Amino acid sequence: MKFGIFYELQLPRPWGPDDEYNLYQDALTQLELADRLGYDYAWEVEHHFLEEYSHSSAPGVFLGAASQRTKQIRLAHGIFHLTTNHPAKVAASVAALDLVSHGRVEFGMGESASLTELEPFGVEFGEKREIFEDAVRCLVPMFTKHNHSYKGPYFDFPPRNVLPKPRQRPHPPLWTACSQLQTIAYAGEKGLGALGFQFVSAEAAHAWVHAYYNGMTKRLDKLADYPVNPNIALVSMFMCAKTDEEAREKADGATFFQFCLRYYNTPDRKRPPPGAVDMWEEYNKWKAANPDAAAAALAGGLIGSPETIRRKLRKFEASHIDQVILLNQAGRNSHQDICDSLELFAEEVMPEFHANIPAHEEWKAKVMAGEIELEEIDTAAFTARYGNRSVDLTKAPVPDKESA
């Protein structure tokens, strides 16, 4: 199993004059450390207007800076919005990053799941899947063709040579975001790597791995002419310390992350106007009123001692997950605690699972070749996006907000 690190670039209020600067510089230092320690991937999101939750609106700039401070780690868009960026500009940006990083880019694509992000760009929420698919069809040939044109329902592109071309041939590996679990099966059918941005049990992971690979091997229906990328990655909250108690004390940001995610994704909640809600203050009110729920949220994910995390990872490894993406930079988790956690995990946990990568790749090759046939598991029991220990805001009071 491989390991990635994941960045939303969270910044709770109150904001000091140097806080965003320090946030970016600390994150780059953490990536540099992760590269030296042997982590496999660094994933960076694209989000707009999501105050406190994510200050990462220019991931290409961040990853470009990281490319000059690292040597081996794969630099991954997780994800580039194809609904709010023109395909030609996306192709050029990804190719340029691939050149300056010596061919280390992973290209994650997505739709955006937020009205707050889509509305200012004039994108209808109900059309985002169709726009995404049209963008993929328009974009992928730009990596290889020197005279490419395209006419689709959303993009009308005249004959042009989109420059530069990427270092990797024919282009960086393609992934798609799976903010809903059902999209994991969709990713398999489209031949794309699956980025599972949710928190699931090992049992759910097992079911969705089967759905993913069965979609790819039995129901493949690619959006364009590209190599399939058989990889499934799941995000997990993360903090590694010498004891479980110490890890939980240092991982409060994991609960803040879940709080923000649920706050903005509960169906009946309206989004606040800019500056109207202090998410850190709201979070601390919720935590004070729900101490048991806050403690339960920290008991999930990969938060604990090396032995505790090792035990949990073995279950995911048995499910044949390709990669676990570790979410450590969240809330007010300190730079020092994040670095210490990365170091301890790399020293005491990661080698065991890295050693098993050849066996996993052999299993995957047999699945893709049809030598191993996976059971068709009914995934109906595994559709909940959040684990049973995650933050639950369904009964929390909702301040008055404007619709967005």
Side-chain angles (χ1 to χ4, degrees):
M1 194 156 54
K2 296 181 180 180
F3 297 97
I5 54 174
F6 184 66
Y7 283 84
E8 296 268 3
L9 295 178
Q10 293 205 332
L11 189 63
R13 283 185 169 87
W15 300 329
D18 296 324
D19 285 353
E20 283 188 319
Y21 170 79
N22 291 330
L23 171 69
Y24 269 70
Q25 296 302 322
D26 286 348
L28 288 169
T29 299
Q30 292 157 24
L31 260 65
E32 194 172 357
L33 173 64
D35 181 56
R36 294 197 304 270
L37 293 171
Y39 286 82
D40 303 287
Y41 295 81
W43 294 94
E44 177 75 0
V45 305
E46 177 187 1
H47 278 313
H48 300 273
F49 322 122
L50 303 184
E51 296 173 295
E52 300 185 67
Y53 177 72
S54 176
H55 289 232
S56 177
S57 57
V61 175
F62 179 85
L63 292 172
S67 75
Q68 303 306 294
R69 296 176 60 163
T70 58
K71 295 180 179 179
Q72 301 296 328
I73 198 167
R74 302 288 294 177
L75 301 172
H77 279 285
I79 46 77
F80 218 136
H81 289 179
L82 299 193
T83 46
T84 60
N85 293 287
H86 191 278
K89 290 191 173 183
V90 174
S93 177
V94 169
L97 179 61
D98 205 42
L99 293 174
V100 300
S101 68
H102 305 287
R104 289 189 282 138
V105 173
E106 302 281 324
F107 179 25
M109 310 173 291
E111 307 167 10
S112 176
S114 167
L115 276 172
T116 299
E117 297 184 86
L118 293 170
E119 188 180 54
F121 297 105
V123 176
E124 292 291 334
F125 188 87
E127 296 180 5
K128 64 190 184 76
R129 173 59 59 82
E130 288 76 16
I131 297 172
F132 167 79
E133 293 187 346
D134 200 45
V136 174
R137 295 187 183 99
C138 180
L139 186 156
V140 170
M142 294 174 177
F143 288 128
T144 56
K145 291 189 176 181
H146 295 274
N147 184 9
H148 172 57
S149 62
Y150 178 82
K151 189 171 183 63
Y154 294 95
F155 297 99
D156 188 353
F157 188 70
R160 293 291 188 275
N161 186 11
V162 178
L163 299 170
K165 302 300 184 191
R167 174 71 172 167
Q168 298 176 83
R169 299 289 188 267
H171 49 71
L174 304 180
W175 301 70
T176 191
C178 302
S179 57
Q180 301 296 326
L181 281 165
Q182 293 86 336
T183 317
I184 293 176
Y186 168 86
E189 292 170 9
K190 299 307 176 186
L192 303 169
L195 293 170
F197 294 135
Q198 55 274 309
F199 316 106
V200 299
S201 66
E203 293 76 16
H206 176 76
W208 285 109
V209 166
H210 279 231
Y212 174 78
Y213 281 107
N214 281 331
M216 189 170 288
T217 57
K218 300 176 183 179
R219 297 177 286 276
L220 185 64
D221 181 24
K222 296 191 294 183
L223 294 170
D225 182 16
Y226 47 76
V228 298
N229 180 28
N231 277 284
I232 182 168
L234 294 179
V235 171
S236 176
M237 298 298 179
F238 172 65
M239 182 63 77
C240 186
K242 292 181 179 180
T243 67
D244 292 348
E245 293 74 19
E246 182 184 353
R248 287 193 288 267
E249 288 174 2
K250 294 179 175 181
D252 181 68
T255 317
F256 175 74
F257 183 97
Q258 294 178 60
F259 176 87
C260 291
L261 197 61
R262 295 300 291 267
Y263 191 93
Y264 286 127
N265 282 281
T266 304
D268 60 349
R269 287 180 179 271
K270 297 178 181 179
R271 299 177 185 278
V277 173
D278 185 322
M279 292 301 300
W280 184 253
E281 181 180 351
E282 293 295 325
Y283 164 64
N284 280 289
K285 289 179 184 176
W286 172 86
K287 189 168 63 170
N290 300 275
D292 293 340
L298 282 177
L302 298 173
I303 297 172
S305 68
E307 181 52 40
T308 293
I309 292 175
R310 191 181 298 114
R311 186 175 63 251
K312 291 182 177 182
L313 280 175
R314 285 173 183 152
K315 295 180 180 180
F316 281 100
E317 186 177 55
S319 301
H320 294 289
I321 295 297
D322 293 279
Q323 180 187 163
V324 172
I325 305 175
L326 305 169
L327 198 164
N328 209 5
Q329 191 280 313
R332 289 188 177 168
N333 290 356
S334 76
H335 173 63
Q336 188 61 56
D337 288 344
I338 292 169
C339 291
D340 291 345
S341 178
L342 291 172
E343 289 181 332
L344 184 60
F345 180 86
E347 178 182 349
E348 297 197 20
V349 181
M350 196 160 64
E352 172 186 333
F353 297 94
H354 269 176
N356 296 336
I357 289 174
H360 172 72
E361 292 298 325
E362 182 180 355
W363 172 88
K364 181 162 59 174
K366 290 180 178 179
V367 170
M368 295 300 294
E371 297 176 29
I372 295 176
E373 185 170 351
L374 299 180
E375 177 188 1
E376 292 277 5
I377 298 176
D378 184 357
T379 56
F382 305 107
T383 56
R385 179 176 181 183
Y386 309 98
N388 58 11
R389 290 178 173 175
S390 67
V391 169
D392 184 1
L393 302 184
T394 55
K395 297 180 180 180
V398 183
D400 292 333
K401 313 183 194 79
E402 294 180 4
S403 178

